[in-house]
């Protein structure tokens, strides 16, 4: 029987080399597969950011205005005295005398000291043009004005007549303003009307745009306005009383509101 040669078995070194080669190939495949996933990962945040922006609610900004009226309960008079004399000393003395007479009659008419305030006091030279074209001081004019609150407005005309009677030609009545002593309640009513006006406008905008009105985001109020000042010219000294028409006091308020649209 012929002798067969024994099979040649690979040694341990060769087997280890082949195992290392196979491991390297497998690792490269895994790395190549994982690389695209890491490369596209940042792109996934872009749609999420856009979606977050798209989810932000729309808003509508509106301005509302409102007003409320009430009968006045306060008259504020601007009265004063004005005199002209040859010298400054004489002018100030005459002005002081007329002002004392004005204050005395105000107190006699029941006006309290807390309701009388000096608004201005002045002493100015009076110039006259000479035939030669020069300005020459020929006298001095002294004046003083007072702000007077008459809390019984039915007596405001009587107070004005009394001032003119006590001060004569030196008396001045510059104007009268009617008001309410405490405007808080009137302003609160005007504020309610202004807010309702803003809310109604926002509701209409929501309906027209196919939305529903959401929560109030912000609200701000502008300065209130109370128009309607009255003025009177100077009255003659023999006028016992001045007829007045107080009318109504109007308070105006504006608000600016931002609402969400849902």
């Amino acid at each position: 029987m012929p002798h067969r040669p024994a099979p040649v078995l690979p040694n341990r070194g060769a087997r280890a080399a082949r195992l290392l080669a196979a491991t390297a190939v497998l690792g490269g495949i895994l790395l190549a597969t994982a690389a695209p996933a890491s490369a596209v990962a940042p792109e996934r945040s872009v749609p999420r950011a856009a979606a977050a922006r798209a989810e932000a609610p729309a808003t509508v900004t509106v301005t509302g205005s409102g007003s409320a009226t009430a009968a006045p309960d306060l008259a504020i008079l601007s009265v004063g005295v004005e005199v002209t004399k040859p010298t400054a000393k004489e002018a100030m003395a005459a002005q002081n005398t007329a002002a004392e007479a004005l204050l005395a009659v105000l107190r006699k008419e029941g006006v309290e000291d807390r309701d009388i305030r000096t608004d201005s006091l002045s002493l100015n030279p009076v110039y006259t043009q000479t035939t030669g074209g020069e300005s020459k001081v020929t006298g001095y004019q002294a004046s003083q004005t007072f702000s007077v609150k008459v809390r019984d407005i039915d007596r405001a005309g009587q107070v004005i007549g009394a001032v003119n009677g006590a001060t004569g030609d030196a008396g001045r009545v510059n104007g009268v303003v009617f008001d309410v002593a405490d405007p808080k309640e009137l302003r609160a009513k005007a504020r309610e009307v202004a807010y309702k006006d803003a809310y109604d406008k926002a509701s209409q905008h929501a309906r027209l745009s196919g939305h529903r009105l959401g929560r109030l985001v912000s609200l701000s109020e502008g300065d209130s306005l109370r128009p309607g000042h009255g003025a009177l010219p100077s009255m003659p000294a023999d006028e016992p009383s001045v007829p007045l028409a107080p009318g109504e006091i109007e308070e105006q308020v504006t608000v600016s509101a931002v609402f969400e649209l849902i």
Side-chain angles (χ1 to χ4, degrees):
M1 183 174 185
H3 177 72
R4 295 180 180 177
V8 180
L9 299 177
N11 56 32
R12 294 181 179 179
R15 287 199 303 269
R18 287 196 295 270
L19 180 59
L20 289 174
T23 302
V25 171
L26 179 59
I29 294 173
L30 292 176
L31 289 175
T33 304
S38 61
V40 299
E43 297 180 1
R44 295 178 184 175
S45 62
V46 175
R48 284 199 297 269
R53 288 193 298 268
E55 291 173 359
T59 60
V60 58
T61 302
V62 291
T63 300
S65 59
S67 63
T69 59
D73 57 9
L74 181 68
I76 304 175
L77 311 179
S78 176
V79 295
V81 294
E82 182 180 281
V83 294
T84 301
K85 295 294 180 180
T87 66
K89 184 177 180 179
E90 291 176 320
M92 286 300 296
Q95 185 275 141
N96 290 340
T97 301
E100 289 173 356
L102 185 152
L103 293 174
V105 75
L106 288 177
R107 296 185 179 103
K108 183 179 179 180
E109 290 295 326
V111 180
E112 299 182 14
D113 288 343
R114 68 186 179 98
D115 292 329
I116 304 172
R117 184 190 69 217
T118 297
D119 282 343
S120 66
L121 175 64
S122 64
L123 175 66
N124 298 300
V126 177
Y127 294 93
T128 301
Q129 197 83 10
T130 64
T131 56
E134 297 180 355
S135 295
K136 182 180 179 181
V137 176
T138 57
Y140 287 86
Q141 185 183 78
S143 64
Q144 186 172 183
T145 60
F146 300 88
S147 175
V148 181
K149 292 182 180 180
V150 180
R151 298 185 183 274
D152 183 359
I153 63 173
D154 292 336
R155 300 186 67 252
Q158 180 179 333
V159 172
I160 292 174
V163 167
N164 278 310
T167 56
D169 293 339
R172 298 290 184 271
V173 178
N174 302 314
V176 57
V177 175
F178 294 101
D179 206 345
V180 288
D182 186 3
K184 293 180 181 178
E185 183 178 353
L186 189 61
R187 188 173 297 124
K189 292 180 180 179
R191 186 179 294 118
E192 290 179 5
V193 177
Y195 179 80
K196 185 179 184 303
D197 182 45
Y199 184 86
D200 290 344
K201 290 178 180 178
S203 299
Q204 183 182 17
H205 282 296
R207 185 175 65 256
L208 294 174
S209 61
H211 292 81
R212 290 182 295 109
L213 195 63
R215 69 181 182 90
L216 176 66
V217 177
S218 67
L219 179 67
S220 61
E221 179 177 329
D223 294 334
S224 61
L225 177 65
R226 198 177 310 152
H229 288 182
L232 292 173
S234 297
M235 296 291 117
D238 58 353
E239 182 67 36
S241 180
V242 177
L244 301 175
E248 285 186 328
I249 300 301
E250 182 183 22
E251 185 84 12
Q252 297 177 356
V253 173
T254 59
V255 297
S256 179
V258 180
F259 291 89
E260 281 188 353
L261 297 176
I262 57 178

